[in-house]
Each structure stands twice: as structure tokens, then as C-alpha cells.
């Protein structure tokens, strides 16, 4: 039986910023990085923005807050660094929730107050992508 999965990523997007500087400040190894104008490995088009991303793996889940909590737990100690990065580089923060629905099993999609407080506190956006397979 195929199972519904959820993954969450947090990305720092900007037109052009120093990725090495961000990696050093964040003290978190990114899952993925991209540089504007460079074709990422496994892709065919060049990146339109520079990006630093951390992600959870796709996990069987019926509640997106499990994966959101994992990412926020990593980011919480780096909140001040994030705010400084945002101000220094004029970047955008985005949480992306990716849901792959199998067998019509849909996860709960709601945001806990503590999650919203953190997201608001760093002026991040939320993007929800979902794919229905069966």
C-alpha cells in the first residue's frame, strides 16, 4: 500500500547573496543550495535565484506539524542569525510543505500557535504544495 507522505523545507531566497557566509552564520548544513545563473546538478535550467535550503525527508504522516516541528527545532536556536541574514542580504524566507496524497488519505493541515509565532517572528512565508496520486 502506498502511503501519504509529508516533507517540509525552509529556504532562504535572494537575488544574489554569499552562500558561504550564510552557511557559516547558520551553523546548519543545508540540504540543498543553488546559485543564481548556475544549472543545478540533475536540472536543465539555471537557477533564477540564489537559495539555501534545509528539508525533512518525505515521511509517512497525517499531520504536517510533525515535519514543521522538526525544521523549526533546528532553526529556533539560529533565529537571531536568520534576522541578521535577512537584514544584511535582503532575502526572503519560505517554509514549503509538500504533501503527496495516496489512497485518499489526507493529513491534517493546520498551524499550531507556536509555529505561527516563529514564522511570523522571522517574517517568513508559507507555501503548501500537494499532489494527489490515488
Amino acid at each position: 500500500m502506498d502511503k501519504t507522505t509529508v516533507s517540509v523545507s525552509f529556504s532562504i531566497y535572494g537575488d544574489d547573496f554569499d552562500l558561504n557566509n550564510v552557511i557559516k552564520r547558520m551553523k546548519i548544513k543545508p540540504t540543498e543550495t543553488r546559485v543564481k545563473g548556475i544549472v543545478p546538478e540533475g536540472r536543465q535550467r539555471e537557477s533564477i535565484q540564489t537559495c539555501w535550503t534545509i528539508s525533512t525527508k518525505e515521511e509517512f504522516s497525517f499531520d504536517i506539524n510533525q515535519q514543521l516541528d522538526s525544521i523549526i527545532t533546528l532553526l529556533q536556536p539560529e533565529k537571531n542569525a536568520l534576522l541578521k541574514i535577512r537584514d544584511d542580504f535582503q532575502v526572503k524566507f519560505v517554509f514549503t510543505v509538500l504533501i503527496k496524497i495516496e489512497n485518499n488519505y489526507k493529513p491534517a493541515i493546520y498551524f499550531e500557535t507556536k509555529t505561527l509565532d516563529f514564522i511570523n517572528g522571522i517574517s517568513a512565508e508559507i507555501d503548501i504544495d500537494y499532489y494527489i496520486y490515488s
Side-chain angles (χ1 to χ4, degrees), residues 19 41 69 77 82 90 102 107 109 131:
L19 276 172
E41 188 175 322
D69 284 346
L82 283 168
Q90 288 77 50
E102 293 282 0
I109 302 173
Y131 300 90

Side-chain angles (χ1 to χ4, degrees), residues 42-126:
R43 309 258 176 138
Q44 298 193 359
R45 292 188 217 159
E46 58 186 47
S47 295
I48 60 171
Q49 291 182 308
T50 298
C51 176
W52 178 99
T53 300
I54 58 170
S55 303
T56 66
K57 296 184 187 308
E58 288 183 17
E59 302 169 314
F60 170 68
S61 182
F62 286 119
D63 186 344
I64 66 170
N65 288 288
Q66 293 172 343
Q67 288 72 31
L68 275 167
D69 284 346
S70 294
I71 294 291
I72 290 174
T73 297
L74 285 173
L75 295 173
Q76 189 74 45
E78 305 305 325
K79 182 176 179 180
N80 289 334
L82 283 168
L83 295 173
K84 186 87 171 107
I85 288 166
R86 185 193 65 207
D87 293 343
D88 289 351
F89 298 115
Q90 288 77 50
V91 292
K92 182 168 91 169
F93 300 148
V94 179
F95 285 87
T96 301
V97 180
L98 174 62
I99 304 166
K100 293 183 178 179
I101 298 171
E102 293 282 0
N103 298 312
N104 207 28
Y105 292 120
K106 301 169 197 82
I109 302 173
Y110 68 98
F111 299 95
E112 296 173 343
T113 302
K114 66 180 182 172
T115 301
L116 291 173
D117 286 345
F118 182 79
I119 291 169
N120 185 54
I122 62 169
S123 300
E125 297 177 6
I126 303 168

